[in-house]
Amino acid sequence: MEKVLILDFGSQYTQLIARKIRELGVYSEIHPFHYPVEKIRGDDSVKALILSGGPSSVYAEDAPRISPELFQLNLPVLGICYGLQMIAYLLGGEVDRAARREYGPAELEFDPAHPLFQGLTSPTRVWMSHGDHLTRIPEGFRIIGKTENSPIAAIEHPRQKIYGLQFHPEVYHTTHGKEMLKNFLYRIAGLKGGWSAESFIESSIRSIRQQVGSSRVLLGLSGGVDSSVAAVLIHRAIGDQLTCMFIDTGLLRANEAREVETVFREHFQINLISITAEKAFLHKLRGVTDPEQKRKIIGRTFIEVFDQESRKIGDFEYLAQGTLYPDVIESVSFKGPSATIKSHHNVGGLPEKMDFRLLEPLRELFKDEVREVGRKLGLPESIIGRHPFPGPGLAVRIIGEITEERLAILRKADTIFIEELKKSNLYQHIWQAFAVLLPVQSVGVMGDERTYENVIALRAVTSTDGMTADWFDLPKEVLATVSNRIINEVQGINRVVYDVSSKPPATIEWE
C-alpha cells in the first residue's frame, strides 16, 4: 500500500493535511518531526513526505529540526509554511522575521502550466499564517508562486522534486488547496491511489484473521459509533470468536440498552452479553458532585464490572477497542506540554491486572472514515450518524449530584430535544446536541401557582473533529418548540436556556 508520511512540527492544521490526503485516495500517516530517517528509508511503502507547519521559528535555538538526510531519500517532498522554511534553512537559503506578520487571505500568482498548479487559474486565493518568510532561496531552487506580501510564496527544486508553500493548502480558506495537493500526489509524486473504505475493510479483515488466528476476542460495546463499527468489522473477520459485552451503567440515554441489543444481537447475530449495573454505579456516585471525581469513580467501577463479568464467560486472549487515529496521534505527535483540562471522556481503559492483548482495528482511521466504513458494513444510520456521547454518560451532563430522579428528568428533556432536531431535519447538520441539568432552581408561574423548579440548558455545536466547535444557530421556532415541550412535559423543569459558547474558550460538554 502506498503511504505518505507527514512529519509534524506542531501545527494546528496537521490532522487536516492527513484527512485531505486520504480524501484524495492516498493513505497518510502523521509522525513527529524527529521520526527516524532509517525507518523511512526501510519502508518501501513510503512514496512521499510532507513537512507540516508549526509555531516555531527555524532560526530559534530550540526550534524543531529534521535531519538533512531526508532530502537524500529520493522521495518527493512538500513543505508547508514552517516546512517550507525548514527546507530553505537546511539547504542554504535564508529565513527572517517578516516586516508584517501575514495572517488571512492572499492572492497567489503562479504559472498555470506548472504541474503543481495544473488546472488552476492565476491568481487564486490562499490562506497565510506566518511571522517569518524566505529572503533567499537555496541553490538549485526557483520561485513558482508569489503574493503581494510574500514574493517567495512557493518554490521548487525540479530535479529533486522538493516543493515548498508559504501558505496552507490543507485549510478550507485556500480555494484550490485540495487540487494543489492532488497535483503533488499524482502529477509530481506519481502515486496511484486506491485508499478507500472498501480497501480498508478488505485489508483489515485479512489483518484481523492473521493477528487473532483461532483466539477469542472480547469487546466492550458502548453503542457509540467507534465500538459499534469495530464490533461489526471484527465479527465480519472472525465470526463467533468475538464476544461483545454491553454494560448498562444507568447513565445512558433513553432506550439505549434496548437499541444496542436489537441491532447487534438480532440484526448482526453477534454474541452479546448485556449487563445491568445501574445500582453499582449510582451507589458509588451518591453524594459526589466534583466532575473529576465522577469520572474516576465511573472509570474504576466500569473496569471492576467488566473484569468481574468477563471472568464468568471464559478466557479471552484479545481485548478489542475502538481506538481512533486522533488518539494515536495525540500520544506520539510533537506537542508541547499542556495543562490537563479534564480526564478523557472515554471510560473503561485497559487495567494492568487484566491479561489481554489489544486489538484496535480502527486505529488508522479518523471519525468521518469510521462512519464511512460503518456504512459499508451495513450499520444503521441511527448508530452511524449519532452524535458523540461521553463515556461517563449523563453523569457529566448533570451538574451536581447524580440521583435516579435527576437522571429521569434529564433523559426526558434530552429525548425531547433530539426528537425535535430530527423532526426539523437539523440533527444531521449538528456535531453534538444534548441537554444539561443545572444545579439551579428558579422562580416560575405554572397555571396560577408559583413554582421553584430546575433549569435545563440546551447545547448544540458544529465541528469537524471536536477539537474546536461553534454553537449552532438554531431557528427561533425550533427553540420555542423544544422549550415549550420540555416545560410542559418534564415535571420539575420550569426554565430552558440555550448555550451560545464556542470552544475555545468553553468546552463542548459542561463537565
Short mmCIF file of all heavy atoms in Angstrom, two decimals, residues 168-212:
data_model
loop_
_atom_site.label_atom_id
_atom_site.label_comp_id
_atom_site.label_asym_id
_atom_site.label_seq_id
_atom_site.Cartn_x
_atom_site.Cartn_y
_atom_site.Cartn_z
N HIS A 168 -1.16 27.64 3.44
CA HIS A 168 -1.70 26.35 3.89
C HIS A 168 -2.71 25.81 2.87
O HIS A 168 -3.88 26.22 2.87
CB HIS A 168 -2.38 26.50 5.26
CG HIS A 168 -1.42 26.70 6.38
ND1 HIS A 168 -0.85 25.66 7.07
CD2 HIS A 168 -0.89 27.84 6.91
CE1 HIS A 168 -0.03 26.14 7.99
NE2 HIS A 168 -0.03 27.47 7.91
N PRO A 169 -2.33 24.85 2.03
CA PRO A 169 -3.28 24.30 1.05
C PRO A 169 -4.34 23.42 1.69
O PRO A 169 -5.37 23.14 1.08
CB PRO A 169 -2.37 23.49 0.11
CG PRO A 169 -1.23 23.07 0.97
CD PRO A 169 -0.99 24.22 1.92
N GLU A 170 -4.09 22.96 2.92
CA GLU A 170 -4.99 21.99 3.56
C GLU A 170 -6.23 22.62 4.16
O GLU A 170 -7.19 21.91 4.47
CB GLU A 170 -4.24 21.20 4.64
CG GLU A 170 -3.88 21.98 5.90
CD GLU A 170 -2.57 22.75 5.82
OE1 GLU A 170 -2.13 23.07 4.69
OE2 GLU A 170 -1.98 23.03 6.87
N VAL A 171 -6.23 23.97 4.34
CA VAL A 171 -7.38 24.58 5.02
C VAL A 171 -8.46 24.98 4.00
O VAL A 171 -8.17 25.24 2.83
CB VAL A 171 -6.96 25.82 5.85
CG1 VAL A 171 -5.92 25.42 6.89
CG2 VAL A 171 -6.45 26.95 4.99
N TYR A 172 -9.66 25.06 4.49
CA TYR A 172 -10.82 25.36 3.66
C TYR A 172 -10.67 26.71 2.94
O TYR A 172 -11.12 26.88 1.82
CB TYR A 172 -12.07 25.37 4.56
CG TYR A 172 -13.31 25.90 3.93
CD1 TYR A 172 -14.07 25.10 3.06
CD2 TYR A 172 -13.75 27.21 4.19
CE1 TYR A 172 -15.22 25.60 2.47
CE2 TYR A 172 -14.90 27.70 3.60
CZ TYR A 172 -15.64 26.89 2.74
OH TYR A 172 -16.78 27.38 2.16
N HIS A 173 -9.99 27.67 3.61
CA HIS A 173 -9.91 29.03 3.08
C HIS A 173 -9.01 29.14 1.85
O HIS A 173 -9.05 30.14 1.14
CB HIS A 173 -9.41 29.99 4.17
CG HIS A 173 -10.21 29.93 5.42
ND1 HIS A 173 -10.01 28.95 6.37
CD2 HIS A 173 -11.23 30.70 5.88
CE1 HIS A 173 -10.86 29.13 7.36
NE2 HIS A 173 -11.61 30.18 7.08
N THR A 174 -8.14 28.14 1.61
CA THR A 174 -7.36 28.12 0.36
C THR A 174 -8.26 27.50 -0.70
O THR A 174 -8.51 26.29 -0.68
CB THR A 174 -6.06 27.32 0.53
OG1 THR A 174 -5.22 28.01 1.47
CG2 THR A 174 -5.31 27.21 -0.78
N THR A 175 -8.71 28.33 -1.61
CA THR A 175 -9.80 27.94 -2.51
C THR A 175 -9.52 26.64 -3.27
O THR A 175 -10.39 25.77 -3.36
CB THR A 175 -10.08 29.07 -3.52
OG1 THR A 175 -10.22 30.29 -2.81
CG2 THR A 175 -11.36 28.80 -4.29
N HIS A 176 -8.31 26.50 -3.82
CA HIS A 176 -8.00 25.30 -4.61
C HIS A 176 -6.86 24.50 -4.00
O HIS A 176 -6.09 23.84 -4.70
CB HIS A 176 -7.64 25.72 -6.05
CG HIS A 176 -8.79 26.33 -6.79
ND1 HIS A 176 -9.89 25.61 -7.18
CD2 HIS A 176 -9.02 27.61 -7.18
CE1 HIS A 176 -10.75 26.40 -7.79
NE2 HIS A 176 -10.25 27.62 -7.80
N GLY A 177 -6.79 24.53 -2.66
CA GLY A 177 -5.72 23.80 -1.96
C GLY A 177 -5.76 22.30 -2.19
O GLY A 177 -4.72 21.65 -2.35
N LYS A 178 -6.97 21.75 -2.23
CA LYS A 178 -7.08 20.30 -2.42
C LYS A 178 -6.57 19.89 -3.80
O LYS A 178 -5.92 18.84 -3.95
CB LYS A 178 -8.55 19.86 -2.25
CG LYS A 178 -8.72 18.37 -2.05
CD LYS A 178 -10.14 18.06 -1.59
CE LYS A 178 -10.33 16.58 -1.36
NZ LYS A 178 -11.71 16.27 -0.89
N GLU A 179 -6.82 20.73 -4.82
CA GLU A 179 -6.32 20.44 -6.17
C GLU A 179 -4.79 20.49 -6.21
O GLU A 179 -4.15 19.69 -6.88
CB GLU A 179 -6.90 21.42 -7.19
CG GLU A 179 -8.37 21.22 -7.48
CD GLU A 179 -9.27 22.08 -6.60
OE1 GLU A 179 -8.89 22.34 -5.43
OE2 GLU A 179 -10.35 22.49 -7.07
N MET A 180 -4.21 21.43 -5.44
CA MET A 180 -2.74 21.51 -5.37
C MET A 180 -2.16 20.23 -4.75
O MET A 180 -1.17 19.68 -5.23
CB MET A 180 -2.30 22.73 -4.57
CG MET A 180 -2.67 24.06 -5.21
SD MET A 180 -2.21 25.44 -4.11
CE MET A 180 -3.23 26.77 -4.79
N LEU A 181 -2.79 19.78 -3.65
CA LEU A 181 -2.33 18.54 -3.00
C LEU A 181 -2.49 17.35 -3.95
O LEU A 181 -1.62 16.48 -4.03
CB LEU A 181 -3.11 18.30 -1.71
CG LEU A 181 -2.82 19.28 -0.57
CD1 LEU A 181 -3.80 19.06 0.58
CD2 LEU A 181 -1.39 19.13 -0.06
N LYS A 182 -3.59 17.32 -4.68
CA LYS A 182 -3.82 16.24 -5.65
C LYS A 182 -2.75 16.25 -6.73
O LYS A 182 -2.21 15.19 -7.11
CB LYS A 182 -5.20 16.40 -6.28
CG LYS A 182 -5.57 15.27 -7.23
CD LYS A 182 -6.99 15.46 -7.77
CE LYS A 182 -7.37 14.31 -8.69
NZ LYS A 182 -8.75 14.46 -9.22
N ASN A 183 -2.39 17.43 -7.23
CA ASN A 183 -1.34 17.54 -8.23
C ASN A 183 0.00 17.05 -7.68
O ASN A 183 0.76 16.38 -8.38
CB ASN A 183 -1.20 18.99 -8.72
CG ASN A 183 -2.32 19.38 -9.69
OD1 ASN A 183 -2.92 18.53 -10.33
ND2 ASN A 183 -2.59 20.67 -9.79
N PHE A 184 0.29 17.39 -6.42
CA PHE A 184 1.54 16.92 -5.82
C PHE A 184 1.55 15.39 -5.75
O PHE A 184 2.55 14.74 -6.09
CB PHE A 184 1.72 17.51 -4.42
CG PHE A 184 2.90 16.94 -3.68
CD1 PHE A 184 4.20 17.29 -4.04
CD2 PHE A 184 2.72 16.03 -2.65
CE1 PHE A 184 5.30 16.74 -3.38
CE2 PHE A 184 3.80 15.47 -1.99
CZ PHE A 184 5.10 15.84 -2.35
N LEU A 185 0.44 14.81 -5.30
CA LEU A 185 0.38 13.36 -5.12
C LEU A 185 0.47 12.60 -6.44
O LEU A 185 1.21 11.62 -6.56
CB LEU A 185 -0.92 12.97 -4.40
CG LEU A 185 -1.11 13.49 -2.98
CD1 LEU A 185 -2.51 13.17 -2.49
CD2 LEU A 185 -0.07 12.90 -2.04
N TYR A 186 -0.32 13.05 -7.42
CA TYR A 186 -0.47 12.26 -8.64
C TYR A 186 0.43 12.73 -9.79
O TYR A 186 1.04 11.89 -10.48
CB TYR A 186 -1.94 12.27 -9.08
CG TYR A 186 -2.82 11.49 -8.12
CD1 TYR A 186 -3.58 12.13 -7.15
CD2 TYR A 186 -2.87 10.10 -8.17
CE1 TYR A 186 -4.37 11.42 -6.26
CE2 TYR A 186 -3.65 9.37 -7.29
CZ TYR A 186 -4.41 10.03 -6.33
OH TYR A 186 -5.18 9.32 -5.46
N ARG A 187 0.56 14.03 -10.00
CA ARG A 187 1.37 14.51 -11.13
C ARG A 187 2.86 14.54 -10.79
O ARG A 187 3.70 14.27 -11.65
CB ARG A 187 0.92 15.91 -11.55
CG ARG A 187 -0.48 15.97 -12.11
CD ARG A 187 -0.83 17.38 -12.59
NE ARG A 187 -2.23 17.45 -13.03
CZ ARG A 187 -2.65 17.06 -14.22
NH1 ARG A 187 -1.80 16.57 -15.10
NH2 ARG A 187 -3.93 17.16 -14.55
N ILE A 188 3.18 14.89 -9.54
CA ILE A 188 4.58 15.03 -9.16
C ILE A 188 5.13 13.76 -8.52
O ILE A 188 6.17 13.24 -8.93
CB ILE A 188 4.76 16.24 -8.21
CG1 ILE A 188 4.50 17.53 -9.00
CG2 ILE A 188 6.15 16.27 -7.59
CD1 ILE A 188 4.35 18.77 -8.16
N ALA A 189 4.43 13.23 -7.51
CA ALA A 189 4.91 12.02 -6.83
C ALA A 189 4.56 10.74 -7.59
O ALA A 189 5.11 9.68 -7.32
CB ALA A 189 4.35 11.96 -5.42
N GLY A 190 3.63 10.83 -8.55
CA GLY A 190 3.29 9.67 -9.37
C GLY A 190 2.57 8.56 -8.63
O GLY A 190 2.70 7.38 -8.99
N LEU A 191 1.78 8.90 -7.63
CA LEU A 191 1.07 7.87 -6.86
C LEU A 191 -0.13 7.34 -7.64
O LEU A 191 -0.65 8.00 -8.54
CB LEU A 191 0.61 8.45 -5.52
CG LEU A 191 1.74 8.98 -4.62
CD1 LEU A 191 1.18 9.49 -3.30
CD2 LEU A 191 2.77 7.90 -4.35
N LYS A 192 -0.56 6.15 -7.26
CA LYS A 192 -1.67 5.50 -7.96
C LYS A 192 -2.99 5.64 -7.21
O LYS A 192 -4.06 5.52 -7.78
CB LYS A 192 -1.35 4.02 -8.18
CG LYS A 192 -0.13 3.78 -9.06
CD LYS A 192 0.12 2.28 -9.23
CE LYS A 192 1.32 2.01 -10.14
NZ LYS A 192 2.58 2.50 -9.56
N GLY A 193 -2.95 5.84 -5.89
CA GLY A 193 -4.18 5.97 -5.10
C GLY A 193 -4.79 4.61 -4.80
O GLY A 193 -4.14 3.57 -4.88
N GLY A 194 -6.06 4.61 -4.44
CA GLY A 194 -6.74 3.34 -4.15
C GLY A 194 -7.14 3.18 -2.69
O GLY A 194 -7.81 2.21 -2.34
N TRP A 195 -6.76 4.12 -1.82
CA TRP A 195 -7.19 4.07 -0.42
C TRP A 195 -8.67 4.44 -0.33
O TRP A 195 -9.10 5.46 -0.84
CB TRP A 195 -6.36 5.03 0.41
CG TRP A 195 -6.91 5.34 1.78
CD1 TRP A 195 -7.61 6.44 2.14
CD2 TRP A 195 -6.82 4.53 2.96
NE1 TRP A 195 -7.96 6.39 3.48
CE2 TRP A 195 -7.49 5.23 4.00
CE3 TRP A 195 -6.25 3.29 3.23
CZ2 TRP A 195 -7.58 4.72 5.29
CZ3 TRP A 195 -6.35 2.79 4.53
CH2 TRP A 195 -7.00 3.50 5.53
N SER A 196 -9.49 3.58 0.29
CA SER A 196 -10.93 3.83 0.42
C SER A 196 -11.48 3.01 1.57
O SER A 196 -10.78 2.15 2.13
CB SER A 196 -11.66 3.43 -0.88
OG SER A 196 -11.55 2.03 -1.07
N ALA A 197 -12.73 3.25 1.92
CA ALA A 197 -13.37 2.47 2.98
C ALA A 197 -13.39 0.99 2.61
O ALA A 197 -13.13 0.12 3.44
CB ALA A 197 -14.79 2.98 3.23
N GLU A 198 -13.69 0.70 1.35
CA GLU A 198 -13.75 -0.70 0.90
C GLU A 198 -12.38 -1.38 1.00
O GLU A 198 -12.28 -2.51 1.48
CB GLU A 198 -14.25 -0.80 -0.55
CG GLU A 198 -15.70 -0.44 -0.74
CD GLU A 198 -15.89 1.03 -1.08
OE1 GLU A 198 -14.97 1.84 -0.77
OE2 GLU A 198 -16.95 1.36 -1.64
N SER A 199 -11.33 -0.67 0.56
CA SER A 199 -9.99 -1.27 0.63
C SER A 199 -9.56 -1.45 2.07
O SER A 199 -8.88 -2.42 2.42
CB SER A 199 -8.98 -0.40 -0.13
OG SER A 199 -8.77 0.84 0.51
N PHE A 200 -9.96 -0.51 2.95
CA PHE A 200 -9.63 -0.65 4.37
C PHE A 200 -10.31 -1.88 4.96
O PHE A 200 -9.69 -2.64 5.71
CB PHE A 200 -10.07 0.60 5.14
CG PHE A 200 -9.93 0.45 6.63
CD1 PHE A 200 -8.70 0.63 7.25
CD2 PHE A 200 -11.01 0.09 7.41
CE1 PHE A 200 -8.55 0.45 8.62
CE2 PHE A 200 -10.88 -0.10 8.78
CZ PHE A 200 -9.65 0.09 9.38
N ILE A 201 -11.58 -2.09 4.64
CA ILE A 201 -12.31 -3.25 5.18
C ILE A 201 -11.65 -4.54 4.74
O ILE A 201 -11.40 -5.45 5.55
CB ILE A 201 -13.80 -3.21 4.73
CG1 ILE A 201 -14.52 -2.05 5.42
CG2 ILE A 201 -14.50 -4.54 5.04
CD1 ILE A 201 -15.90 -1.75 4.86
N GLU A 202 -11.32 -4.64 3.47
CA GLU A 202 -10.68 -5.86 2.94
C GLU A 202 -9.36 -6.15 3.63
O GLU A 202 -9.10 -7.27 4.08
CB GLU A 202 -10.46 -5.73 1.43
CG GLU A 202 -11.72 -5.78 0.60
CD GLU A 202 -11.46 -5.47 -0.86
OE1 GLU A 202 -10.29 -5.54 -1.28
OE2 GLU A 202 -12.43 -5.15 -1.58
N SER A 203 -8.50 -5.13 3.73
CA SER A 203 -7.18 -5.34 4.34
C SER A 203 -7.30 -5.61 5.84
O SER A 203 -6.55 -6.39 6.41
CB SER A 203 -6.26 -4.15 4.07
OG SER A 203 -6.76 -2.98 4.68
N SER A 204 -8.29 -4.95 6.49
CA SER A 204 -8.48 -5.15 7.94
C SER A 204 -8.94 -6.56 8.25
O SER A 204 -8.49 -7.16 9.23
CB SER A 204 -9.49 -4.15 8.49
OG SER A 204 -8.97 -2.85 8.44
N ILE A 205 -9.84 -7.08 7.44
CA ILE A 205 -10.33 -8.45 7.67
C ILE A 205 -9.16 -9.43 7.58
O ILE A 205 -9.01 -10.32 8.43
CB ILE A 205 -11.45 -8.79 6.67
CG1 ILE A 205 -12.74 -8.03 7.06
CG2 ILE A 205 -11.71 -10.30 6.63
CD1 ILE A 205 -13.85 -8.15 6.06
N ARG A 206 -8.32 -9.26 6.57
CA ARG A 206 -7.13 -10.13 6.44
C ARG A 206 -6.22 -9.97 7.66
O ARG A 206 -5.72 -10.96 8.22
CB ARG A 206 -6.36 -9.81 5.16
CG ARG A 206 -7.04 -10.22 3.88
CD ARG A 206 -6.07 -10.18 2.71
NE ARG A 206 -5.53 -8.83 2.49
CZ ARG A 206 -6.09 -7.93 1.68
NH1 ARG A 206 -7.22 -8.23 1.04
NH2 ARG A 206 -5.55 -6.74 1.52
N SER A 207 -6.00 -8.73 8.06
CA SER A 207 -5.09 -8.44 9.18
C SER A 207 -5.62 -9.01 10.49
O SER A 207 -4.87 -9.58 11.29
CB SER A 207 -4.90 -6.93 9.29
OG SER A 207 -4.12 -6.60 10.39
N ILE A 208 -6.94 -8.84 10.74
CA ILE A 208 -7.54 -9.35 11.99
C ILE A 208 -7.43 -10.87 12.04
O ILE A 208 -7.05 -11.45 13.07
CB ILE A 208 -9.01 -8.91 12.10
CG1 ILE A 208 -9.10 -7.39 12.31
CG2 ILE A 208 -9.73 -9.64 13.23
CD1 ILE A 208 -10.49 -6.81 12.10
N ARG A 209 -7.74 -11.53 10.93
CA ARG A 209 -7.65 -13.00 10.90
C ARG A 209 -6.23 -13.47 11.17
O ARG A 209 -6.00 -14.45 11.89
CB ARG A 209 -8.14 -13.53 9.55
CG ARG A 209 -9.65 -13.45 9.38
CD ARG A 209 -10.07 -13.80 7.97
NE ARG A 209 -11.52 -13.74 7.82
CZ ARG A 209 -12.16 -13.71 6.66
NH1 ARG A 209 -11.47 -13.74 5.52
NH2 ARG A 209 -13.48 -13.67 6.63
N GLN A 210 -5.27 -12.78 10.57
CA GLN A 210 -3.87 -13.15 10.74
C GLN A 210 -3.42 -12.92 12.19
O GLN A 210 -2.74 -13.76 12.78
CB GLN A 210 -3.00 -12.32 9.80
CG GLN A 210 -1.54 -12.76 9.79
CD GLN A 210 -0.73 -11.97 8.75
OE1 GLN A 210 -1.26 -11.11 8.06
NE2 GLN A 210 0.54 -12.27 8.65
N GLN A 211 -3.83 -11.79 12.78
CA GLN A 211 -3.41 -11.47 14.14
C GLN A 211 -4.06 -12.38 15.18
O GLN A 211 -3.40 -12.86 16.10
CB GLN A 211 -3.75 -10.01 14.47
CG GLN A 211 -3.31 -9.57 15.86
CD GLN A 211 -3.67 -8.13 16.16
OE1 GLN A 211 -4.09 -7.38 15.27
NE2 GLN A 211 -3.51 -7.70 17.41
N VAL A 212 -5.35 -12.63 15.01
CA VAL A 212 -6.12 -13.34 16.03
C VAL A 212 -5.99 -14.85 15.91
O VAL A 212 -5.96 -15.56 16.92
CB VAL A 212 -7.61 -12.91 15.96
CG1 VAL A 212 -8.47 -13.79 16.84
CG2 VAL A 212 -7.75 -11.44 16.36
#
